[in-house]
Amino acid sequence: MIGEKRINLKAAIHLLKHIGYCKKFKNFHCYSSFHSLLPKRIEEMIVKEEEKKEEKNERLLVDLCECYVMTYQCIIPDRLIVICLPCLLNAASNKMENEETRNEVEMVLFSLSLIETTMRVNTDIYLNEIIEIIEYHKEHRNLTRLGYQSAWKFLVLRLQREGEFEDVILNEFHFVKEATRELDELRECVNWKRKGGKEKEARRSEAKEVNVIMEWLRMVMAYFRERLFLDEEHIELIRCIVTLCRAAREYEKEIVGVSFFVFKTVAKIKPVCVVCLTKSGAANVVLEEIQQATLEHDMAHYHLRFFLKLSKTLKWKMVDEMEEAKRKAIKMEMFEKMEEEGYEDCIESFHKIFDFLDRKYYDGLSLNISDYFVNA
């Protein structure tokens, strides 16, 4: 259509960016796009523009790279990464503080956060640039919330994929502290009690904030997969997610579901880290959920999986005597808490539907009810 001039290039770029955004946040999928001629056509345009000796259109190149990344639904070829990555990073470094620039930079950073490649990318190509973008925002607040989240997502996931996920980098730039602050602020931006009718339009206007919350939670979950220990700052982050769960409980069940996956990820780390789930209130909020009369089967499954994982973690024997003593103390604390809150009664009440849950969900539940008890 572009070649035949049925649609001008500017309109086509706008349309493709919109499709890319919808793909990510509105469950709009176009599985056949990478089998079509569209990515090939955009790729040819990128290479042609990049090879120009004179009068290179940098804005057009950025737009084409964004469209390519958001349209191409599989791993981007190496030959395009070496063009797109520096181009997008350069555009994301634009520090002009006006609404138009903020929106443009948001889309560039969003595109960067979607990049998938098997190519090992040297950190020299992107690390200084993306860290400068994050640090500048901390001081000047020049990015949108989605833009800032996308910058962090690009950094965290890129380092994981390159096998250079170093504590010193994330600790130096305070990822946990920033995630906690952003989630707190985003929670306060949303009126969680909005319903339909006259408030429907206002609810739609808050959808972007809800999407950004979901992205932060997914990134936090990826971060916790790399942890070997947790400290007080991590407990504050989990406590922040607990508060978010309670706020979103009635109107945004998906947020609650992803939050519980975060808790389950923490429960896998090591027995002495389970204390974070008690001190932060995470175990409490899962107990509150599991006792609701209107609990759906899929949510019951997720909650039970959380406690099953927690119980199994607490049963791990520690070689170090001090760590083993901590494990036993935490295990007893968890047992007393579960007993006090009526946890065993909850498990008993769900026992009759275990077989159904086990057949319906691929990561089945244990039919041995004692597996769910931390004193077993």
Side-chain angles (χ1 to χ4, degrees), residues 131 152 155-156 159-160 163-176 222-231 233-234:
I131 286 176
W152 267 112
L155 175 61
V156 172
L159 290 173
Q160 283 181 324
E164 298 187 25
F165 192 85
E166 299 177 10
D167 284 342
V168 65
I169 293 173
L170 293 178
N171 290 338
E172 184 179 349
F173 299 103
H174 308 293
F175 168 75
V176 174
Y223 169 80
F224 277 129
R225 288 196 189 108
E226 303 288 335
R227 298 301 86 209
L228 295 176
F229 67 92
L230 302 177
D231 57 21
E233 203 170 62
H234 292 94

Side-chain angles (χ1 to χ4, degrees), residues 362-374:
Y362 67 93
D363 53 346
L365 296 165
S366 171
L367 298 182
N368 184 357
I369 200 167
S370 66
D371 285 345
Y372 295 84
F373 300 146
V374 297

Side-chain angles (χ1 to χ4, degrees), residues 149 153 156-157 160 165 175-176 178-180 183 213-227 234 237-238 240-241 258-259 261-263 265-266 269:
Q149 185 278 328
K153 181 180 177 183
V156 172
L157 297 186
Q160 283 181 324
F165 192 85
F175 168 75
V176 174
E178 288 298 296
T180 304
L183 284 169
I213 287 172
M214 291 291 291
E215 287 300 295
W216 272 110
L217 289 174
R218 290 188 182 107
M219 188 163 58
V220 166
M221 183 162 58
Y223 169 80
F224 277 129
R225 288 196 189 108
E226 303 288 335
R227 298 301 86 209
H234 292 94
L237 174 56
I238 299 170
C240 161
I241 297 173
V258 175
S259 297
F261 275 112
V262 173
F263 301 153
T265 303
V266 173
I269 298 173

Side-chain angles (χ1 to χ4, degrees), residues 22-50:
C22 290
K23 264 172 47 184
K24 179 65 178 177
F25 292 128
K26 299 186 179 180
N27 293 321
F28 175 84
H29 298 288
C30 185
Y31 294 107
S32 62
S33 66
F34 60 86
H35 294 303
S36 72
L37 295 176
L38 179 59
K40 187 67 176 176
R41 172 70 173 133
I42 300 175
E43 181 180 332
E44 290 172 354
M45 295 171 72
I46 290 172
V47 173
K48 182 179 178 181
E49 195 63 38
E50 172 66 17

Side-chain angles (χ1 to χ4, degrees), residues 15-16 18 54 89 109 131 169 193 207 229 248 310 321 329:
L15 175 61
L16 289 172
H18 183 67
E54 299 177 359
L89 280 168
L109 288 168
I131 286 176
I169 293 173
K193 296 184 179 180
F229 67 92
L310 184 148
E321 290 185 10

